[in-house]
Amino acid sequence: MDVSGDDLRCGLCGQPLSGLHEQHGDEAVVGAGNRVEYVIVELRGATACYQAVDDPSRTRKTDAAFLAQELGTGLSDLPGRHYTCWETPTEYGVIRSGFEPA
């Protein structure tokens, strides 16, 4: 199998491999994602339900305790809170990191 260097892509993010694309760590890969603003709409038990501010039809769920820890707040303060995070597309979904209160 002959694969040229120009055709090689990262198995994690799908971006072309280059000198700028060495390995994945806590930092986002250059050009491989964007910051998105969300609002937490409700808590359902141990789950926080949130939606994108620019597109309310994009709703998601996550562990409420994890989100509270990332935002440095208590569980009872989550509903109604706006926050941003960095989203990096991957082969099997999206990695969210860099959580900050908005």
Side-chain angles (χ1 to χ4, degrees):
M1 182 168 129
D2 183 25
V3 178
S4 73
D6 294 337
D7 295 330
L8 294 177
R9 294 196 172 268
C10 176
L12 293 175
C13 69
Q15 296 296 314
L17 294 176
S18 68
L20 295 175
H21 191 115
E22 294 177 12
Q23 50 178 263
H24 290 275
D26 291 336
E27 297 298 318
V29 176
V30 175
N34 61 325
R35 188 158 284 282
V36 179
E37 182 176 353
Y38 290 103
V39 61
I40 303 163
V41 292
E42 70 177 325
L43 294 180
R44 290 185 189 163
T47 303
C49 302
Y50 59 97
Q51 64 188 25
V53 170
D54 65 344
D55 183 3
S57 68
R58 289 181 43 211
T59 59
R60 306 281 187 270
K61 298 180 223 173
T62 193
D63 179 71
F66 167 78
L67 192 54
Q69 179 181 353
E70 290 295 310
L71 296 175
T73 189
L75 287 171
S76 62
D77 295 328
L78 286 178
R81 182 171 295 269
H82 287 247
Y83 70 95
T84 64
C85 66
W86 185 261
E87 291 190 345
T88 306
T90 68
E91 184 178 358
Y92 298 107
V94 174
I95 294 175
R96 292 177 180 87
S97 61
F99 294 82
E100 297 176 358

